[in-house]
Amino acid sequence: MLSLPAAEKKTIALYQQKRISGGKARHLAGMNIMEFQRELSQRGITVNYGVEDFQEDLKENFTKLGRTITVVSDTSPITNLAAVGQLDLLR
């Protein structure tokens, strides 16, 4: 485990306390998803991946593809995809 700068340590602490989402924590720490999850694993921190994280990751990936997505509710992510006609992208 590498020693992280204080800002990254604070970001991970906020994530562990469930005060910020994984997407927000990764962004603030300047890490991609694999780096962030590796860091959490090395520190024995459970990954908290909920609907909000899924929606953030989905939006980020659609943006990278030059597409947009609208989250229509805070219910099931699959319901959201079906509602905006994007469910076929999961195949």
Side-chain angles (χ1 to χ4, degrees), residues 56-77:
E56 285 182 30
D57 289 343
L58 191 61
K59 286 179 186 178
E60 182 180 319
N61 289 324
F62 268 74
T63 300
K64 288 178 183 176
L65 293 171
R67 300 171 116 183
T68 59
I69 186 166
T70 303
V71 177
V72 294
S73 71
D74 62 357
T75 59
S76 163

Side-chain angles (χ1 to χ4, degrees), residues 17-74:
Q17 297 163 8
K18 298 181 181 181
R19 294 178 60 194
I20 59 174
S21 68
K24 184 71 164 178
R26 288 192 310 270
H27 175 73
L28 292 173
M31 298 178 186
N32 66 40
I33 191 167
M34 296 304 292
E35 293 167 334
F36 186 70
Q37 288 184 351
R38 186 177 311 116
E39 190 63 38
L40 293 178
S41 175
Q42 290 174 345
R43 294 173 180 275
I45 299 170
T46 304
V47 174
N48 307 314
Y49 193 83
V51 172
E52 182 180 327
D53 294 304
F54 176 78
Q55 291 170 340
E56 285 182 30
D57 289 343
L58 191 61
K59 286 179 186 178
E60 182 180 319
N61 289 324
F62 268 74
T63 300
K64 288 178 183 176
L65 293 171
R67 300 171 116 183
T68 59
I69 186 166
T70 303
V71 177
V72 294
S73 71
D74 62 357

